[in-house]
PDB file of all heavy atoms in Angstrom:
ATOM      1  N   CYS D   1       0.878  -1.154  -0.008  1.00 98.00           N
ATOM      2  CA  CYS D   1       0.010   0.002   0.000  1.00 98.00           C
ATOM      3  C   CYS D   1       0.882   1.235  -0.008  1.00 98.00           C
ATOM      4  O   CYS D   1       1.817   1.315   0.817  1.00 98.00           O
ATOM      5  CB  CYS D   1      -0.926  -0.013   1.236  1.00 98.00           C
ATOM      6  SG  CYS D   1      -2.014   1.395   1.291  1.00 98.00           S
ATOM      7  N   VAL D   2       0.647   2.158  -0.903  1.00 98.00           N
ATOM      8  CA  VAL D   2       1.417   3.376  -1.004  1.00 98.00           C
ATOM      9  C   VAL D   2       0.482   4.596  -0.880  1.00 98.00           C
ATOM     10  O   VAL D   2      -0.587   4.618  -1.549  1.00 98.00           O
ATOM     11  CB  VAL D   2       2.172   3.496  -2.379  1.00 98.00           C
ATOM     12  CG1 VAL D   2       2.989   4.755  -2.457  1.00 98.00           C
ATOM     13  CG2 VAL D   2       3.005   2.232  -2.593  1.00 98.00           C
ATOM     14  N   VAL D   3       0.817   5.512   0.038  1.00 98.00           N
ATOM     15  CA  VAL D   3      -0.081   6.615   0.291  1.00 98.00           C
ATOM     16  C   VAL D   3       0.739   7.937   0.466  1.00 98.00           C
ATOM     17  O   VAL D   3       1.924   7.893   0.789  1.00 98.00           O
ATOM     18  CB  VAL D   3      -0.918   6.420   1.567  1.00 98.00           C
ATOM     19  CG1 VAL D   3      -1.808   5.183   1.425  1.00 98.00           C
ATOM     20  CG2 VAL D   3      -0.089   6.355   2.819  1.00 98.00           C
ATOM     21  N   ALA D   4      -0.022   9.061   0.327  1.00 98.00           N
ATOM     22  CA  ALA D   4       0.555  10.362   0.645  1.00 98.00           C
ATOM     23  C   ALA D   4       0.395  10.541   2.170  1.00 98.00           C
ATOM     24  O   ALA D   4      -0.255   9.726   2.873  1.00 98.00           O
ATOM     25  CB  ALA D   4      -0.248  11.433  -0.064  1.00 98.00           C
ATOM     26  N   GLY D   5       0.987  11.567   2.727  1.00 97.00           N
ATOM     27  CA  GLY D   5       0.949  11.820   4.146  1.00 97.00           C
ATOM     28  C   GLY D   5      -0.449  11.991   4.703  1.00 97.00           C
ATOM     29  O   GLY D   5      -0.654  11.763   5.903  1.00 97.00           O
ATOM     30  N   ASN D   6      -1.395  12.349   3.887  1.00 97.00           N
ATOM     31  CA  ASN D   6      -2.763  12.492   4.308  1.00 97.00           C
ATOM     32  C   ASN D   6      -3.594  11.199   4.187  1.00 97.00           C
ATOM     33  O   ASN D   6      -4.793  11.220   4.402  1.00 97.00           O
ATOM     34  CB  ASN D   6      -3.482  13.665   3.577  1.00 97.00           C
ATOM     35  CG  ASN D   6      -3.640  13.347   2.114  1.00 97.00           C
ATOM     36  OD1 ASN D   6      -3.224  12.309   1.586  1.00 97.00           O
ATOM     37  ND2 ASN D   6      -4.198  14.324   1.395  1.00 97.00           N
ATOM     38  N   GLY D   7      -2.935  10.143   3.776  1.00 96.00           N
ATOM     39  CA  GLY D   7      -3.596   8.833   3.630  1.00 96.00           C
ATOM     40  C   GLY D   7      -4.152   8.572   2.257  1.00 96.00           C
ATOM     41  O   GLY D   7      -4.651   7.491   2.018  1.00 96.00           O
ATOM     42  N   GLU D   8      -4.092   9.593   1.360  1.00 97.00           N
ATOM     43  CA  GLU D   8      -4.576   9.384  -0.016  1.00 97.00           C
ATOM     44  C   GLU D   8      -3.773   8.338  -0.716  1.00 97.00           C
ATOM     45  O   GLU D   8      -2.503   8.348  -0.718  1.00 97.00           O
ATOM     46  CB  GLU D   8      -4.520  10.716  -0.761  1.00 97.00           C
ATOM     47  CG  GLU D   8      -5.016  10.613  -2.189  1.00 97.00           C
ATOM     48  CD  GLU D   8      -4.883  11.939  -2.908  1.00 97.00           C
ATOM     49  OE1 GLU D   8      -4.872  13.024  -2.271  1.00 97.00           O
ATOM     50  OE2 GLU D   8      -4.797  11.906  -4.166  1.00 97.00           O
ATOM     51  N   VAL D   9      -4.434   7.402  -1.343  1.00 98.00           N
ATOM     52  CA  VAL D   9      -3.752   6.299  -2.026  1.00 98.00           C
ATOM     53  C   VAL D   9      -3.028   6.849  -3.273  1.00 98.00           C
ATOM     54  O   VAL D   9      -3.570   7.648  -4.052  1.00 98.00           O
ATOM     55  CB  VAL D   9      -4.759   5.215  -2.494  1.00 98.00           C
ATOM     56  CG1 VAL D   9      -4.093   4.144  -3.248  1.00 98.00           C
ATOM     57  CG2 VAL D   9      -5.427   4.631  -1.261  1.00 98.00           C
ATOM     58  N   LEU D  10      -1.765   6.363  -3.465  1.00 97.00           N
ATOM     59  CA  LEU D  10      -0.964   6.764  -4.610  1.00 97.00           C
ATOM     60  C   LEU D  10      -0.604   5.478  -5.380  1.00 97.00           C
ATOM     61  O   LEU D  10      -0.431   4.423  -4.764  1.00 97.00           O
ATOM     62  CB  LEU D  10       0.293   7.439  -4.187  1.00 97.00           C
ATOM     63  CG  LEU D  10       0.158   8.773  -3.383  1.00 97.00           C
ATOM     64  CD1 LEU D  10       1.467   9.219  -2.870  1.00 97.00           C
ATOM     65  CD2 LEU D  10      -0.492   9.806  -4.228  1.00 97.00           C
ATOM     66  N   MET D  11      -0.396   5.636  -6.664  1.00 96.00           N
ATOM     67  CA  MET D  11       0.079   4.488  -7.485  1.00 96.00           C
ATOM     68  C   MET D  11       1.582   4.628  -7.655  1.00 96.00           C
ATOM     69  O   MET D  11       2.085   5.732  -7.872  1.00 96.00           O
ATOM     70  CB  MET D  11      -0.601   4.482  -8.830  1.00 96.00           C
ATOM     71  CG  MET D  11      -2.111   4.243  -8.789  1.00 96.00           C
ATOM     72  SD  MET D  11      -2.518   2.728  -7.961  1.00 96.00           S
ATOM     73  CE  MET D  11      -1.873   1.512  -9.081  1.00 96.00           C
ATOM     74  N   PRO D  12       2.301   3.536  -7.574  1.00 95.00           N
ATOM     75  CA  PRO D  12       3.744   3.567  -7.761  1.00 95.00           C
ATOM     76  C   PRO D  12       4.091   4.046  -9.188  1.00 95.00           C
ATOM     77  O   PRO D  12       3.401   3.740 -10.155  1.00 95.00           O
ATOM     78  CB  PRO D  12       4.211   2.136  -7.578  1.00 95.00           C
ATOM     79  CG  PRO D  12       3.099   1.468  -6.788  1.00 95.00           C
ATOM     80  CD  PRO D  12       1.848   2.190  -7.204  1.00 95.00           C
ATOM     81  N   CYS D  13       5.193   4.794  -9.319  1.00 92.00           N
ATOM     82  CA  CYS D  13       5.666   5.200 -10.647  1.00 92.00           C
ATOM     83  C   CYS D  13       6.181   3.996 -11.378  1.00 92.00           C
ATOM     84  O   CYS D  13       6.271   2.857 -10.812  1.00 92.00           O
ATOM     85  CB  CYS D  13       6.765   6.268 -10.495  1.00 92.00           C
ATOM     86  SG  CYS D  13       8.315   5.617  -9.757  1.00 92.00           S
ATOM     87  N   GLY D  14       6.536   4.105 -12.603  1.00 91.00           N
ATOM     88  CA  GLY D  14       7.010   2.986 -13.452  1.00 91.00           C
ATOM     89  C   GLY D  14       8.254   2.344 -12.848  1.00 91.00           C
ATOM     90  O   GLY D  14       8.371   1.126 -12.833  1.00 91.00           O
ATOM     91  N   ARG D  15       9.188   3.157 -12.417  1.00 92.00           N
ATOM     92  CA  ARG D  15      10.435   2.627 -11.827  1.00 92.00           C
ATOM     93  C   ARG D  15      10.077   1.777 -10.595  1.00 92.00           C
ATOM     94  O   ARG D  15      10.669   0.712 -10.435  1.00 92.00           O
ATOM     95  CB  ARG D  15      11.342   3.783 -11.459  1.00 92.00           C
ATOM     96  CG  ARG D  15      12.564   3.398 -10.753  1.00 92.00           C
ATOM     97  CD  ARG D  15      13.384   4.706 -10.433  1.00 92.00           C
ATOM     98  NE  ARG D  15      14.451   4.398  -9.556  1.00 92.00           N
ATOM     99  CZ  ARG D  15      14.608   4.886  -8.327  1.00 92.00           C
ATOM    100  NH1 ARG D  15      13.700   5.690  -7.823  1.00 92.00           N
ATOM    101  NH2 ARG D  15      15.631   4.570  -7.621  1.00 92.00           N
ATOM    102  N   CYS D  16       9.189   2.249  -9.794  1.00 95.00           N
ATOM    103  CA  CYS D  16       8.878   1.518  -8.581  1.00 95.00           C
ATOM    104  C   CYS D  16       8.050   0.261  -8.866  1.00 95.00           C
ATOM    105  O   CYS D  16       8.138  -0.717  -8.180  1.00 95.00           O
ATOM    106  CB  CYS D  16       8.146   2.430  -7.618  1.00 95.00           C
ATOM    107  SG  CYS D  16       9.281   3.642  -6.859  1.00 95.00           S
ATOM    108  N   ARG D  17       7.243   0.288  -9.923  1.00 94.00           N
ATOM    109  CA  ARG D  17       6.526  -0.905 -10.312  1.00 94.00           C
ATOM    110  C   ARG D  17       7.530  -1.984 -10.641  1.00 94.00           C
ATOM    111  O   ARG D  17       7.327  -3.162 -10.295  1.00 94.00           O
ATOM    112  CB  ARG D  17       5.569  -0.622 -11.468  1.00 94.00           C
ATOM    113  CG  ARG D  17       4.459   0.274 -11.084  1.00 94.00           C
ATOM    114  CD  ARG D  17       3.589   0.658 -12.301  1.00 94.00           C
ATOM    115  NE  ARG D  17       2.660   1.708 -11.893  1.00 94.00           N
ATOM    116  CZ  ARG D  17       1.609   2.122 -12.650  1.00 94.00           C
ATOM    117  NH1 ARG D  17       1.396   1.524 -13.812  1.00 94.00           N
ATOM    118  NH2 ARG D  17       0.834   3.084 -12.207  1.00 94.00           N
ATOM    119  N   GLN D  18       8.562  -1.617 -11.347  1.00 93.00           N
ATOM    120  CA  GLN D  18       9.614  -2.573 -11.690  1.00 93.00           C
ATOM    121  C   GLN D  18      10.283  -3.101 -10.445  1.00 93.00           C
ATOM    122  O   GLN D  18      10.535  -4.308 -10.306  1.00 93.00           O
ATOM    123  CB  GLN D  18      10.615  -1.973 -12.691  1.00 93.00           C
ATOM    124  CG  GLN D  18      11.723  -2.901 -13.079  1.00 93.00           C
ATOM    125  CD  GLN D  18      11.241  -4.073 -13.965  1.00 93.00           C
ATOM    126  OE1 GLN D  18      10.388  -3.922 -14.759  1.00 93.00           O
ATOM    127  NE2 GLN D  18      11.833  -5.237 -13.736  1.00 93.00           N
ATOM    128  N   LEU D  19      10.585  -2.210  -9.531  1.00 94.00           N
ATOM    129  CA  LEU D  19      11.254  -2.602  -8.277  1.00 94.00           C
ATOM    130  C   LEU D  19      10.367  -3.545  -7.523  1.00 94.00           C
ATOM    131  O   LEU D  19      10.859  -4.543  -6.994  1.00 94.00           O
ATOM    132  CB  LEU D  19      11.540  -1.332  -7.475  1.00 94.00           C
ATOM    133  CG  LEU D  19      12.387  -1.455  -6.200  1.00 94.00           C
ATOM    134  CD1 LEU D  19      13.843  -1.854  -6.552  1.00 94.00           C
ATOM    135  CD2 LEU D  19      12.357  -0.124  -5.459  1.00 94.00           C
ATOM    136  N   LEU D  20       9.115  -3.264  -7.414  1.00 96.00           N
ATOM    137  CA  LEU D  20       8.160  -4.102  -6.678  1.00 96.00           C
ATOM    138  C   LEU D  20       7.979  -5.444  -7.387  1.00 96.00           C
ATOM    139  O   LEU D  20       7.797  -6.499  -6.712  1.00 96.00           O
ATOM    140  CB  LEU D  20       6.802  -3.422  -6.518  1.00 96.00           C
ATOM    141  CG  LEU D  20       6.788  -2.192  -5.567  1.00 96.00           C
ATOM    142  CD1 LEU D  20       5.466  -1.434  -5.653  1.00 96.00           C
ATOM    143  CD2 LEU D  20       7.120  -2.579  -4.124  1.00 96.00           C
ATOM    144  N   PHE D  21       8.027  -5.445  -8.706  1.00 94.00           N
ATOM    145  CA  PHE D  21       7.873  -6.691  -9.442  1.00 94.00           C
ATOM    146  C   PHE D  21       8.963  -7.693  -9.027  1.00 94.00           C
ATOM    147  O   PHE D  21       8.720  -8.856  -8.831  1.00 94.00           O
ATOM    148  CB  PHE D  21       7.963  -6.428 -10.965  1.00 94.00           C
ATOM    149  CG  PHE D  21       7.912  -7.697 -11.795  1.00 94.00           C
ATOM    150  CD1 PHE D  21       6.699  -8.300 -12.015  1.00 94.00           C
ATOM    151  CD2 PHE D  21       9.058  -8.231 -12.322  1.00 94.00           C
ATOM    152  CE1 PHE D  21       6.608  -9.449 -12.799  1.00 94.00           C
ATOM    153  CE2 PHE D  21       9.015  -9.390 -13.063  1.00 94.00           C
ATOM    154  CZ  PHE D  21       7.778 -10.014 -13.309  1.00 94.00           C
ATOM    155  N   GLU D  22      10.218  -7.185  -8.906  1.00 93.00           N
ATOM    156  CA  GLU D  22      11.278  -8.048  -8.562  1.00 93.00           C
ATOM    157  C   GLU D  22      11.187  -8.534  -7.099  1.00 93.00           C
ATOM    158  O   GLU D  22      11.643  -9.588  -6.705  1.00 93.00           O
ATOM    159  CB  GLU D  22      12.602  -7.414  -8.820  1.00 93.00           C
ATOM    160  CG  GLU D  22      13.772  -8.409  -8.758  1.00 93.00           C
ATOM    161  CD  GLU D  22      14.895  -8.173  -9.716  1.00 93.00           C
ATOM    162  OE1 GLU D  22      14.657  -7.465 -10.748  1.00 93.00           O
ATOM    163  OE2 GLU D  22      15.978  -8.648  -9.409  1.00 93.00           O
ATOM    164  N   ALA D  23      10.593  -7.691  -6.248  1.00 96.00           N
ATOM    165  CA  ALA D  23      10.448  -8.029  -4.835  1.00 96.00           C
ATOM    166  C   ALA D  23       9.221  -8.930  -4.524  1.00 96.00           C
ATOM    167  O   ALA D  23       9.178  -9.537  -3.475  1.00 96.00           O
ATOM    168  CB  ALA D  23      10.376  -6.756  -3.973  1.00 96.00           C
ATOM    169  N   GLY D  24       8.265  -8.933  -5.437  1.00 96.00           N
ATOM    170  CA  GLY D  24       7.040  -9.697  -5.122  1.00 96.00           C
ATOM    171  C   GLY D  24       6.472 -10.469  -6.297  1.00 96.00           C
ATOM    172  O   GLY D  24       5.610 -11.304  -6.134  1.00 96.00           O
ATOM    173  N   GLY D  25       6.942 -10.207  -7.497  1.00 93.00           N
ATOM    174  CA  GLY D  25       6.463 -10.953  -8.692  1.00 93.00           C
ATOM    175  C   GLY D  25       5.115 -10.459  -9.186  1.00 93.00           C
ATOM    176  O   GLY D  25       4.527  -9.514  -8.623  1.00 93.00           O
ATOM    177  N   PRO D  26       4.615 -11.091 -10.226  1.00 93.00           N
ATOM    178  CA  PRO D  26       3.425 -10.611 -10.861  1.00 93.00           C
ATOM    179  C   PRO D  26       2.162 -10.698 -10.061  1.00 93.00           C
ATOM    180  O   PRO D  26       1.209 -10.018 -10.255  1.00 93.00           O
ATOM    181  CB  PRO D  26       3.323 -11.548 -12.119  1.00 93.00           C
ATOM    182  CG  PRO D  26       4.110 -12.734 -11.766  1.00 93.00           C
ATOM    183  CD  PRO D  26       5.247 -12.280 -10.855  1.00 93.00           C
ATOM    184  N   THR D  27       2.163 -11.590  -9.014  1.00 95.00           N
ATOM    185  CA  THR D  27       0.999 -11.790  -8.189  1.00 95.00           C
ATOM    186  C   THR D  27       0.917 -10.842  -6.974  1.00 95.00           C
ATOM    187  O   THR D  27      -0.030 -10.881  -6.209  1.00 95.00           O
ATOM    188  CB  THR D  27       0.883 -13.214  -7.698  1.00 95.00           C
ATOM    189  OG1 THR D  27       1.987 -13.524  -6.872  1.00 95.00           O
ATOM    190  CG2 THR D  27       0.749 -14.206  -8.888  1.00 95.00           C
ATOM    191  N   LEU D  28       1.957 -10.019  -6.799  1.00 97.00           N
ATOM    192  CA  LEU D  28       1.943  -9.034  -5.731  1.00 97.00           C
ATOM    193  C   LEU D  28       0.690  -8.215  -5.796  1.00 97.00           C
ATOM    194  O   LEU D  28       0.318  -7.706  -6.849  1.00 97.00           O
ATOM    195  CB  LEU D  28       3.145  -8.136  -5.785  1.00 97.00           C
ATOM    196  CG  LEU D  28       3.206  -6.943  -4.863  1.00 97.00           C
ATOM    197  CD1 LEU D  28       3.405  -7.445  -3.417  1.00 97.00           C
ATOM    198  CD2 LEU D  28       4.305  -5.976  -5.231  1.00 97.00           C
ATOM    199  N   MET D  29      -0.016  -8.084  -4.713  1.00 98.00           N
ATOM    200  CA  MET D  29      -1.256  -7.310  -4.664  1.00 98.00           C
ATOM    201  C   MET D  29      -0.900  -5.864  -4.255  1.00 98.00           C
ATOM    202  O   MET D  29      -0.169  -5.648  -3.316  1.00 98.00           O
ATOM    203  CB  MET D  29      -2.264  -7.904  -3.660  1.00 98.00           C
ATOM    204  CG  MET D  29      -2.715  -9.307  -4.040  1.00 98.00           C
ATOM    205  SD  MET D  29      -3.498  -9.363  -5.677  1.00 98.00           S
ATOM    206  CE  MET D  29      -4.964  -8.407  -5.388  1.00 98.00           C
ATOM    207  N   LEU D  30      -1.501  -4.917  -4.977  1.00 97.00           N
ATOM    208  CA  LEU D  30      -1.290  -3.526  -4.727  1.00 97.00           C
ATOM    209  C   LEU D  30      -2.650  -2.858  -4.428  1.00 97.00           C
ATOM    210  O   LEU D  30      -3.601  -3.003  -5.140  1.00 97.00           O
ATOM    211  CB  LEU D  30      -0.670  -2.855  -5.945  1.00 97.00           C
ATOM    212  CG  LEU D  30      -0.284  -1.426  -5.809  1.00 97.00           C
ATOM    213  CD1 LEU D  30       0.863  -1.261  -4.767  1.00 97.00           C
ATOM    214  CD2 LEU D  30       0.160  -0.861  -7.168  1.00 97.00           C
ATOM    215  N   TYR D  31      -2.666  -2.098  -3.340  1.00 97.00           N
ATOM    216  CA  TYR D  31      -3.897  -1.420  -2.904  1.00 97.00           C
ATOM    217  C   TYR D  31      -4.231  -0.242  -3.787  1.00 97.00           C
ATOM    218  O   TYR D  31      -3.340   0.547  -4.110  1.00 97.00           O
ATOM    219  CB  TYR D  31      -3.711  -0.951  -1.438  1.00 97.00           C
ATOM    220  CG  TYR D  31      -4.946  -0.407  -0.787  1.00 97.00           C
ATOM    221  CD1 TYR D  31      -5.895  -1.281  -0.237  1.00 97.00           C
ATOM    222  CD2 TYR D  31      -5.204   0.944  -0.735  1.00 97.00           C
ATOM    223  CE1 TYR D  31      -7.012  -0.802   0.319  1.00 97.00           C
ATOM    224  CE2 TYR D  31      -6.377   1.442  -0.139  1.00 97.00           C
ATOM    225  CZ  TYR D  31      -7.287   0.564   0.413  1.00 97.00           C
ATOM    226  OH  TYR D  31      -8.413   1.041   0.961  1.00 97.00           O
ATOM    227  N   THR D  32      -5.432  -0.132  -4.223  1.00 96.00           N
ATOM    228  CA  THR D  32      -5.928   1.015  -4.942  1.00 96.00           C
ATOM    229  C   THR D  32      -7.213   1.528  -4.292  1.00 96.00           C
ATOM    230  O   THR D  32      -7.770   0.830  -3.384  1.00 96.00           O
ATOM    231  CB  THR D  32      -6.273   0.673  -6.427  1.00 96.00           C
ATOM    232  OG1 THR D  32      -7.438  -0.118  -6.470  1.00 96.00           O
ATOM    233  CG2 THR D  32      -5.119  -0.058  -7.088  1.00 96.00           C
ATOM    234  N   ASP D  33      -7.713   2.673  -4.703  1.00 92.00           N
ATOM    235  CA  ASP D  33      -8.981   3.194  -4.152  1.00 92.00           C
ATOM    236  C   ASP D  33     -10.142   2.271  -4.423  1.00 92.00           C
ATOM    237  O   ASP D  33     -11.080   2.209  -3.616  1.00 92.00           O
ATOM    238  CB  ASP D  33      -9.285   4.585  -4.752  1.00 92.00           C
ATOM    239  CG  ASP D  33      -8.521   5.695  -4.068  1.00 92.00           C
ATOM    240  OD1 ASP D  33      -8.166   5.521  -2.879  1.00 92.00           O
ATOM    241  OD2 ASP D  33      -8.251   6.700  -4.731  1.00 92.00           O
ATOM    242  N   GLU D  34     -10.174   1.593  -5.575  1.00 92.00           N
ATOM    243  CA  GLU D  34     -11.285   0.717  -5.933  1.00 92.00           C
ATOM    244  C   GLU D  34     -11.162  -0.622  -5.244  1.00 92.00           C
ATOM    245  O   GLU D  34     -12.087  -1.077  -4.554  1.00 92.00           O
ATOM    246  CB  GLU D  34     -11.372   0.507  -7.436  1.00 92.00           C
ATOM    247  CG  GLU D  34     -11.700   1.762  -8.239  1.00 92.00           C
ATOM    248  CD  GLU D  34     -10.442   2.623  -8.493  1.00 92.00           C
ATOM    249  OE1 GLU D  34      -9.326   2.119  -8.704  1.00 92.00           O
ATOM    250  OE2 GLU D  34     -10.629   3.859  -8.490  1.00 92.00           O
TER     251      GLU D  34
END
């Protein structure tokens, strides 16, 4: 889960998506507003 200081959900940038992919793989779950 990635958020701003006020708790608003943020999506990882492209670079971070790649970083997270290597740390969790394609099945890593990412929190979104929906």
Side-chain angles (χ1 to χ4, degrees):
C1 181
V2 181
V3 300
N6 64 0
E8 180 181 334
V9 176
L10 300 173
M11 295 303 294
C13 68
R15 174 180 172 244
C16 289
R17 292 175 190 192
Q18 180 67 38
L19 188 67
L20 291 172
F21 177 80
E22 193 145 338
T27 62
L28 172 69
M29 296 301 294
L30 185 66
Y31 188 82
T32 72
D33 279 332
E34 293 83 35

